[in-house]
Amino acid sequence: MAKVMAVNAGSSSLKFKLYEMPEEKVLCSGNAERIGHEDGIFGIKWNGESEKKIVPILDHAEAVRLLVKALIEKGIIKDMNEIVAVGHRIVQGGKYFSKSMLFDKDTEDKIESLIPLAPLHNKAHLVGFRAFKEILPNVTSVATFDTAFHQTMEPEDYVFPIPYEYTEKYDCRRYGAHGTSHKYLSEVGLKYIPGVKHPRIISCHIGSGASITAIKDGKCVATSMGLTPLGGIMMGTRTGDLDPSVMNYLCKCTGKSVEEMYQIFNKKSGLLGVSEVSNDSRDVSKAVEEGNKKAILADRLFIRRIADFIGQYYVRLGGADLIIFSAGIGENSPYYREKICEEIGSALGVEIDKKLNAGIRGEEALLSTPNSKIKVAIIPTDEEVMIARDTYAYYLKK
Ligand code: ADP
């Protein structure tokens, strides 16, 4: 038995989940928020209990110190040496990583070199990694990349039609994201299509950030996010794919810089931008019910973009055996699941049990009727357990 920590470090937050491996039993989970502030928030859940306190958390190392202290105080561990390995979620692994890697100097340098491709994320992940290394210097550290699962794409699925010189010189191509989630979903999804020799799965990770992936024989063949998570389907605050001339035109019209417009495309667009109500699908749905015209448009746009990608991937895969809904909206919104399935229904022969769908939130379930040509399932995603598995595997190898 060994205790393995899965970590997701952001610029001002540090999420954690501690597992007993190989049982994959969750011993505790929590989050340090507002890192860098006197009034930081440290929350932890364990054994059916939970605690949240406001404390100064001036840097990530302090967050890790608080975490280790809490683990000992609550009797979750007796000694910090019980934590044998820590796995870190890394958003951008570029062309270098097609699987999780031991977090050694070479990995660290490569992640650092990829900062221009994911400025906020990769920088924060490194800060998190270094904080753990300072407090727990002897643990096995592993990096798990959001992009790794997508490295099996063929060039015609990942190369952008720009001068090839830029693809080569600047590694400017599609990398995708949410790969750890899509991998998990495709593995769990197999149980719904027993006996299918070459499974074709379309997994829809639809949360605040959202992406769709086409998976054949367990391998990603296409994914909607692009160079960065800004590409693909419309999201809570992100545009998804756009005609690139929109950037040029709007910069000219508004006098804003490319950087300012890029921030608007990332943070003020999507559901929020079109509806002018909220980035949260629940608020948008409420406004739709009240007859708010912009919310209705945002809602229609969102559903159609998702349906378009499912159609595209149906073609890419030469058909589909299973469509999976996951993440905040995919797991919890019967409304969006129903509307998306309606949109693709007549073309793809998809039919779900609407009554069953209406009652399900946050649970795994098969939604399709026996008549449906493609199975449709909800599978709650679990990126942390994937990190813990890969991290534990490296620990065993050491
Ligand atoms: P991320 O991890 O990308 O921040 P999540 O996967 O947590 O996002 O998804 C968050 C989104 O899920 C929220 O913005 C909200 O729109 C949606 N969501 C969460 N719960 C529900 C619910 N009960 N009904 C509808 N939508 C929900």
Side-chain angles (χ1 to χ4, degrees):
M1 284 208 295
K3 292 183 178 69
V4 171
M5 180 85 77
V7 173
N8 184 359
S11 54
S12 66
S13 69
L14 193 146
K15 284 192 198 136
F16 56 87
K17 212 165 191 179
L18 184 67
Y19 289 87
E20 184 82 65
M21 298 298 281
E23 297 83 352
E24 300 183 354
K25 183 180 170 205
V26 178
L27 300 176
C28 75
S29 64
N31 196 4
E33 295 167 81
R34 291 180 57 77
I35 296 177
H37 293 83
E38 284 292 338
D39 56 344
I41 306 167
F42 182 82
I44 181 164
K45 287 184 186 161
W46 77 104
N47 213 5
E49 294 186 65
S50 69
E51 186 182 277
K52 204 165 217 181
K53 56 184 180 182
I54 311 250
V55 277
I57 314 180
L58 296 185
D59 57 24
H60 285 70
E62 183 56 24
V64 180
R65 257 181 235 113
L66 278 169
L67 167 57
V68 172
K69 193 163 158 249
L71 294 177
I72 293 173
E73 269 174 19
K74 320 244 168 276
I76 301 163
I77 58 171
K78 289 198 184 71
D79 185 286
M80 66 184 193
N81 293 323
E82 284 178 42
I83 303 171
V84 297
V86 178
H88 298 265
R89 176 205 178 202
I90 309 290
V91 162
Q92 182 53 269
K95 62 180 177 185
Y96 301 118
F97 302 102
S98 55
K99 61 183 178 65
S100 296
M101 279 310 267
L102 209 53
F103 215 138
D104 56 14
K105 183 76 177 78
D106 183 51
T107 301
E108 193 179 344
D109 289 347
K110 285 186 173 129
I111 293 170
E112 182 128 39
S113 76
L114 292 166
I115 286 176
L117 283 177
L120 291 177
H121 286 109
N122 272 28
K123 211 184 255 177
H125 301 325
L126 283 171
V127 170
F129 162 69
R130 287 167 189 153
F132 269 92
K133 221 174 158 201
E134 187 183 326
I135 314 298
L136 302 167
N138 300 320
V139 294
T140 300
S141 297
V142 172
T144 297
F145 302 90
D146 270 23
T147 48
F149 182 58
H150 303 309
Q151 282 291 301
T152 48
M153 282 188 288
E154 292 177 359
E156 52 270 52
D157 290 299
Y158 70 73
V159 171
F160 294 133
I162 51 174
Y164 196 67
E165 182 196 347
Y166 299 151
T167 309
E168 278 189 314
K169 212 166 162 185
Y170 305 117
D171 292 324
C172 183
R173 46 158 285 185
R174 181 186 305 282
Y175 292 103
H178 291 148
T180 312
S181 171
H182 289 294
K183 183 166 188 251
Y184 175 83
L185 298 173
S186 66
E187 287 175 8
V188 176
L190 287 180
K191 69 174 160 213
Y192 294 105
I193 44 173
V196 173
K197 263 203 177 143
H198 295 289
R200 298 160 301 178
I201 297 176
I202 299 173
S203 65
C204 308
H205 177 118
I206 311 174
S208 211
S211 67
I212 304 188
T213 295
I215 301 152
K216 198 171 199 168
D217 289 323
K219 291 194 172 77
C220 165
V221 297
T223 195
S224 62
M225 282 176 166
L227 174 73
T228 73
L230 182 57
I233 54 175
M234 169 179 168
M235 306 175 216
T237 61
R238 298 184 195 134
T239 57
D241 289 352
L242 275 186
D243 172 353
S245 48
V246 174
M247 171 67 94
N248 190 290
Y249 179 67
L250 286 184
C251 285
K252 280 194 187 136
C253 290
T254 61
K256 291 193 194 306
S257 67
V258 167
E259 182 55 33
E260 282 171 311
M261 196 53 71
Y262 177 65
Q263 292 301 329
I264 290 169
F265 288 172
N266 258 298
K267 296 184 180 149
K268 301 236 183 295
S269 301
L271 282 176
L272 170 68
V274 180
S275 71
E276 296 178 343
V277 171
S278 169
N279 64 324
D280 192 306
S281 66
R282 288 165 288 197
D283 301 333
V284 176
S285 294
K286 197 162 159 272
V288 168
E289 277 166 31
E290 290 159 1
N292 179 320
K293 289 211 170 85
K294 287 176 189 157
I296 293 170
L297 177 62
D299 180 83
R300 295 298 313 146
L301 240 157
F302 185 66
I303 293 162
R304 188 146 295 165
R305 298 301 295 271
I306 293 171
D308 286 349
F309 262 94
I310 294 177
Q312 184 183 326
Y313 289 165
Y314 179 85
V315 173
R316 176 66 185 82
L317 290 168
D321 303 298
L322 175 68
I323 295 172
I324 301 170
F325 286 111
S326 193
I329 297 171
E331 290 167 30
N332 297 302
S333 172
Y335 170 79
Y336 281 110
R337 289 190 302 251
E338 183 179 323
K339 291 288 168 195
I340 294 162
C341 289
E342 254 174 38
E343 192 88 15
I344 58 172
S346 64
L348 306 188
V350 166
E351 188 182 282
I352 60 165
D353 181 334
K354 290 186 184 171
K355 219 168 137 197
L356 174 74
N357 177 50
I360 298 185
R361 286 177 181 77
E363 289 170 57
E364 195 174 317
L366 182 70
L367 294 181
S368 45
T369 64
N371 288 334
S372 183
K373 291 210 177 106
I374 306 172
K375 297 255 174 70
V376 179
I378 308 170
I379 301 176
T381 196
D382 193 344
E383 289 154 291
E384 293 87 358
V385 82
M386 296 297 270
I387 297 175
R389 280 177 198 167
D390 285 359
T391 304
Y392 182 60
Y394 271 105
Y395 165 72
L396 290 181
K397 272 196 239 166
K398 263 193 126 183

